[in-house]
Amino acid sequence: MSKHDDNAAAEEELGDESKSIIFSMISQFTRDMDLSRITFPTFVLEPRSFTERVTDFIASKSDDPVQRFVGVVKYYMSGWHIHPRGVKKPYNPILGEFFRSQYEFDDASGAYFVAEQVSHHPPITAMFYHSPEHRIAIEGDLRPLSRFQGNSVGMLLGGYAKIHFLDRPGEIYEVTYPNMYARGILFGKMVLELGEMSTVTCKHNDLVFEVEFKTKGILWGAYNQIAGKIRRISTNETLFEISGNWQTAMYITDKRTSSAKPEVLFDSSSEHVVPQHVACASEQEPNESRNLWKHVTKAIRENNLNAATTQKSAIEEQQREHVKEREAQGTRFEPRFFQLEIDGNYHPKLVINDIPKEPEAAKQRVSQWIFAKPDGSMQDMDRSEDDPVVLATPHKR
């Protein structure tokens, strides 16, 4: 079997103990039941919070708007192959939890990122990304809704994302997400799939990308297949067709030329994932993702599910106590980095159009907003890790 036919990275086989826990949980479910309030057992958890998970999706400088659009499509489609081996559910973030990081790219440019859990019921994660040198900003929120569907659990990914090309006024790319499915939770291997339609739209340049993430049939088909088109909104003219496997390789064909052949749009085997730079746990605040969940992460990596469950329950109980305190005081939760605006979406409190054009000034403004501590000091991103829990945590395997 070739590498591009291998779906092992999206498959997982559960042990007998894990299966028995799943069966006991499922006996309480009804079809299409909302699972957002369900506490999942720790063996199905990925040792990252969802507020950190969204960084996996975080362009082109061409003067040709069509080529810029193709660059955005490539960027968007390339993010889906990054996921933990098998089928894992990120930790359910607590209200007010946040994750922040920065990137250093090969061309000496950089970027800053922050995500915050702005609502717990319903769960909403808001996010912001900015690259000062490339003058690109991304904002959005994710609103996952989980449903039990027999042998599958579906996560319907609502919310929005907007990619701003700040040097090109009005050029905004609006993104919608496909849905995610964990198949085989009752019988067979557990498999992660993406399904249904997703879009990237730039009304300013009269372009839209519509892609179908195809799910495998019971008797036929293959995993992870996609089929999409880039077309003009006004005329419906198809400019490009995109096909392939979202986990391994995708191909693009220029339909404006009759003799054009498919070319590689993205090949995960040759791609380099830029690592995030995150402050050590000792520099993080109590509700920053890696610091908040460090005891759970350590227990999961040690395969100590009892300890992981105990630590996870303590965090969830603390959240319930905070809810009771706010109710007793008659106060409401106020997000730190984002605010709900009149369009019904969460946007960064840092106004995107107010970010300075000059890269050094933009770096200072954005980094101050993201990495400042409540006392006004800045996170020390260069401090070596000295937290005993983190130092004792086994590395990923």
Side-chain angles (χ1 to χ4, degrees):
M1 180 178 292
S2 71
K3 179 173 181 178
H4 284 186
D5 292 330
D6 187 4
N7 195 51
E11 297 179 354
E12 182 173 15
E13 194 133 24
L14 298 179
D16 291 339
E17 178 184 3
S18 298
K19 286 182 178 178
S20 67
I21 297 175
I22 285 285
F23 274 108
S24 67
M25 290 181 60
I26 289 174
S27 65
Q28 308 170 48
F29 296 171
T30 58
R31 187 173 180 85
D32 292 326
M33 177 181 181
D34 180 6
L35 304 183
S36 63
R37 295 176 182 265
I38 300 298
T39 299
F40 279 81
T42 51
F43 69 83
V44 299
L45 294 178
E46 172 192 357
R48 288 194 295 172
S49 170
F50 193 78
T51 52
E52 180 175 351
R53 177 71 175 86
V54 296
T55 61
D56 291 344
F57 294 101
I58 309 289
S60 172
K61 292 185 177 180
S62 172
D63 289 330
D64 180 355
V66 174
Q67 290 306 314
R68 287 198 302 276
F69 191 88
V70 171
V72 171
V73 168
K74 176 182 177 179
Y75 152 80
Y76 172 68
M77 295 298 293
S78 67
W80 294 107
H81 81 286
I82 310 171
H83 60 80
R85 186 174 182 84
V87 181
K88 297 293 183 183
K89 179 184 184 294
Y91 304 145
N92 281 333
I94 66 170
L95 187 64
E97 175 186 341
F98 62 92
F99 175 81
R100 47 190 175 180
S101 64
Q102 63 184 41
Y103 298 82
E104 295 179 1
F105 302 127
D106 292 338
D107 63 358
S109 65
Y112 304 96
F113 177 85
V114 63
E116 181 180 15
Q117 193 69 9
V118 294
S119 174
H120 190 61
H121 294 303
I124 303 175
T125 303
M127 57 185 174
F128 171 78
Y129 166 103
H130 177 60
S131 176
E133 292 88 354
H134 297 286
R135 296 280 294 153
I136 292 174
I138 303 174
E139 61 168 330
D141 65 44
L142 283 170
R143 307 183 182 212
L145 178 63
S146 300
R147 295 288 185 184
F148 173 60
Q149 300 174 328
N151 194 37
S152 302
V153 170
M155 179 179 284
L156 314 182
L157 292 180
Y160 84 101
K162 289 184 178 180
I163 303 171
H164 300 256
F165 279 32
L166 300 179
D167 281 338
R168 299 181 183 277
E171 189 162 320
I172 300 173
Y173 300 78
E174 300 180 34
V175 176
T176 65
Y177 311 106
N179 298 325
M180 292 184 173
Y181 299 95
R183 310 289 193 191
I185 61 173
L186 294 178
F187 51 84
K189 287 185 177 181
M190 290 184 69
V191 178
L192 172 70
E193 284 197 285
L194 301 179
E196 282 79 56
M197 298 296 296
S198 176
T199 61
V200 178
T201 305
C202 182
K203 296 178 181 177
H204 183 79
N205 291 332
D206 192 35
L207 294 167
V208 63
F209 170 59
E210 297 168 321
V211 58
E212 179 186 6
F213 289 81
K214 299 182 179 182
T215 56
K216 184 180 181 298
I218 297 176
L219 300 177
W220 60 85
Y223 286 115
N224 309 329
Q225 300 300 299
I226 60 104
K229 294 180 179 181
I230 295 175
R231 61 177 179 83
R232 294 280 184 195
I233 298 173
S234 59
T235 64
N236 208 32
E237 176 193 3
T238 297
L239 306 181
F240 297 91
E241 289 185 350
I242 295 175
S243 61
N245 183 310
W246 58 262
Q247 186 162 274
T248 54
M250 290 171 281
Y251 302 89
I252 184 168
T253 304
D254 190 340
K255 303 304 291 184
R256 298 169 298 179
T257 305
S258 59
S259 60
K261 296 182 179 180
E263 298 179 357
V264 174
L265 177 71
F266 172 78
D267 184 345
S268 63
S269 67
S270 61
E271 289 293 317
H272 168 60
V273 178
V274 178
Q276 305 172 72
H277 188 193
V278 182
C280 68
S282 300
E283 281 290 315
Q284 293 188 19
E285 296 177 38
N287 57 333
E288 281 195 70
S289 294
R290 292 190 182 180
N291 192 33
L292 175 69
W293 295 96
K294 62 187 178 185
H295 292 282
V296 182
T297 298
K298 179 175 181 289
I300 288 178
R301 297 228 178 112
E302 292 173 340
N303 201 31
N304 188 341
L305 300 186
N306 288 332
T309 299
T310 299
Q311 295 290 346
K312 175 172 169 285
S313 297
I315 293 172
E316 293 165 345
E317 180 59 31
Q318 183 183 53
Q319 175 168 248
R320 286 189 281 270
E321 289 300 317
H322 289 327
V323 171
K324 292 178 183 178
E325 290 174 5
R326 285 193 295 271
E327 289 177 347
Q329 297 168 359
T331 59
R332 298 181 64 181
F333 168 74
E334 177 70 24
R336 175 169 168 177
F337 296 99
F338 300 88
Q339 59 191 9
L340 184 64
E341 298 190 3
I342 194 169
D343 62 357
N345 296 321
Y346 283 88
H347 297 269
K349 291 182 178 180
L350 175 68
V351 178
I352 290 177
N353 288 333
D354 288 347
I355 297 174
K357 291 184 178 181
E358 200 278 318
E360 289 303 319
K363 288 179 183 179
Q364 184 175 358
R365 179 76 175 275
V366 176
S367 62
Q368 178 71 35
W369 178 65
I370 294 178
F371 298 109
K373 299 178 181 179
D375 64 4
S377 64
M378 296 290 288
Q379 265 192 334
D380 183 356
M381 302 297 288
D382 297 322
R383 178 177 174 179
S384 298
E385 185 61 73
D386 56 3
D387 186 285
V389 175
V390 176
L391 292 175
T393 301
H395 294 295
K396 297 178 182 179
R397 289 177 287 183

